[in-house]
Amino acid sequence: MANPCTLCSASCCKDLYITVTIFDIVRISDNLKQKPEEFALIYPLRLINFDNDTVLEMHDRKYLEEHILCLKSHPCMFLQGRKCTIYGFSPSVCKAFPKGIDGKWKTRLCPAVSGFMFRTLGFGARLRPTYLWELDTYKRIVAEWNRKRGKKAECVEFLLARAKEELGKKSAIE
Ligand code: SF4
Ligand code: SF4
């Protein structure tokens, strides 16, 4: 059966903010040998109803600013034509899409036929087994960052250091 995405011009990769966890960043950075700042950014959040547990608070000014960790998007810098050039290690959100992290279909951008195929014919995103661990651990790290009331320039370094620490602990017990 055809992949529903072959009927589409990769709308999700072109139009959405690709929100990631710090573990996605580590994986992409290791595979591409690129620094996080070459492909990711901390983007000011101007939305409400986001997943509050992944919102990073910055305390550079008197008032609190909210940001979110994203790939460089619109379109995603890893999109070439209609192909993902990092398919093997693309972010968990991409592996899951068009299911959201809440497990619900997000087929609004999909052509009608593709959306139908996803929702009714058994197509569907397969999540990496480590996805839930990464997401839960990332939320914990974000909460630590928010308690710290840190400044934006220090944020990625903090997240990376904590991610590496958590990955080290995980591999020690596996
Ligand atoms: S998930 Fe939907 S929007 Fe994204 S490429 Fe597939 S069909 Fe298009
Ligand atoms: S990483 Fe790949 S799948 Fe994810 S948005 Fe970018 S091009 Fe699309």
Side-chain angles (χ1 to χ4, degrees):
M1 241 186 288
N3 176 346
C5 294
T6 57
L7 305 172
C8 177
S9 60
S11 308
C12 51
C13 309
K14 287 179 186 159
D15 295 346
L16 297 177
Y17 287 100
I18 313 302
T19 61
V20 292
T21 72
I22 194 64
F23 297 100
D24 295 316
I25 299 288
V26 169
R27 193 163 30 240
I28 295 170
S29 178
D30 286 352
N31 276 279
L32 296 182
K33 311 285 177 247
Q34 283 186 13
K35 292 182 181 154
E37 58 267 31
E38 293 178 65
F39 59 87
L41 75 168
I42 297 179
Y43 193 79
L45 185 66
R46 298 192 186 100
L47 307 167
I48 53 172
N49 287 332
F50 207 81
D51 180 347
N52 283 340
D53 294 341
T54 59
V55 173
L56 296 154
E57 296 175 4
M58 304 299 160
H59 292 268
D60 298 80
R61 301 171 206 253
K62 277 187 187 159
Y63 53 87
L64 162 75
E65 293 176 290
E66 295 186 323
H67 287 64
I68 197 86
L69 195 55
C70 295
L71 293 188
K72 290 186 177 171
S73 324
H74 298 97
C76 173
M77 62 176 286
F78 297 122
L79 185 68
Q80 234 169 54
R82 295 191 319 178
K83 278 198 143 179
C84 173
T85 56
I86 59 163
Y87 184 74
F89 47 92
S90 59
S92 302
V93 71
C94 303
K95 297 282 184 215
F97 204 78
K99 262 188 188 162
I101 54 172
D102 55 5
K104 293 189 179 153
W105 292 111
K106 312 281 179 195
T107 51
R108 181 175 52 84
L109 291 176
C110 307
V113 177
S114 310
F116 176 82
M117 290 165 84
F118 275 121
R119 290 191 309 273
T120 61
L121 300 180
F123 288 98
R126 283 210 197 98
L127 295 179
R128 305 171 76 99
T130 52
Y131 175 76
L132 289 176
W133 178 85
E134 288 184 2
L135 187 61
D136 284 348
T137 310
Y138 182 55
K139 287 179 175 183
R140 239 181 340 101
I141 295 173
V142 168
E144 280 172 39
W145 167 260
N146 290 344
R147 278 197 298 276
K148 202 170 114 68
R149 299 172 70 84
K151 302 216 183 315
K152 192 174 172 187
E154 306 152 2
C155 184
V156 172
E157 209 177 315
F158 173 87
L159 299 177
L160 281 172
R162 284 292 292 109
K164 286 178 183 165
E165 206 179 308
E166 292 295 335
L167 287 168
K169 279 194 242 165
K170 186 168 182 272
S171 66
I173 54 172
E174 281 176 352

